[in-house]
Amino acid sequence: MGDTSNRLAGTAYVTVDGLTIMVAGQFKYSPSKMKRDTLTGMDGVHGYKETPNAPFISCQVRDSGGTTVNDFNNQTNVSIVVELANGKTIIGAGMWTVNTQEVDSTEATFDVRWEGGSVSEN
């Protein structure tokens, strides 16, 4: 059996409330709860401002025969669990979808982005 101890990327297994979805690609996540912007003036750097940021999980999903696209639009309090190639487990709790889902029939894919109050890395 091959040694995968140096594998860092390439796979993402995603479940939504325990249901496995087909991830076509473009998996992204952010656990960040704050966004900082530098404040500058004509005389130099003054400091920064800090505003809340919604943690998110997003990916491109394959529209398989068992997938109901409208169900994604109705998700308002779901748990997302992701297993990555590098061994990390990403967990999103109390997540909701924020975009409408538009299917690209050429590749049978659509983009989904969930946001919520908590995304953690384990």
Side-chain angles (χ1 to χ4, degrees):
M1 182 132 93
D3 179 1
T4 60
S5 60
N6 291 316
R7 183 175 61 188
L8 298 176
T11 61
Y13 300 96
V14 178
T15 61
V16 180
D17 280 349
L19 177 68
T20 301
I21 61 173
M22 296 175 82
V23 178
Q26 300 179 14
F27 176 81
K28 297 179 183 180
Y29 73 97
S30 173
S32 302
K33 291 187 176 188
M34 287 294 158
K35 179 181 183 232
R36 292 179 192 90
D37 294 304
T38 301
L39 300 175
T40 60
M42 294 176 70
D43 58 347
V45 176
H46 295 168
Y48 65 91
K49 71 175 182 178
E50 191 172 77
T51 55
N53 185 63
F56 75 87
I57 295 173
S58 68
C59 62
Q60 188 177 64
V61 176
R62 183 81 59 202
D63 185 19
S64 66
T67 302
T68 304
V69 178
N70 195 49
D71 286 350
F72 284 86
N73 190 250
N74 292 329
Q75 294 174 355
T76 57
N77 187 22
V78 296
S79 296
I80 313 293
V81 178
V82 183
E83 295 177 27
L84 297 177
N86 61 8
K88 282 187 180 183
T89 300
I90 310 303
I91 300 172
M95 308 291 284
W96 52 85
T97 55
V98 294
N99 301 333
T100 58
Q101 289 68 50
E102 300 174 358
V103 178
D104 175 351
S105 62
T106 304
E107 297 295 326
T109 58
F110 59 95
D111 297 326
V112 178
R113 180 177 169 116
W114 297 272
E115 293 183 358
S118 172
V119 172
S120 62
E121 302 170 280
N122 299 318

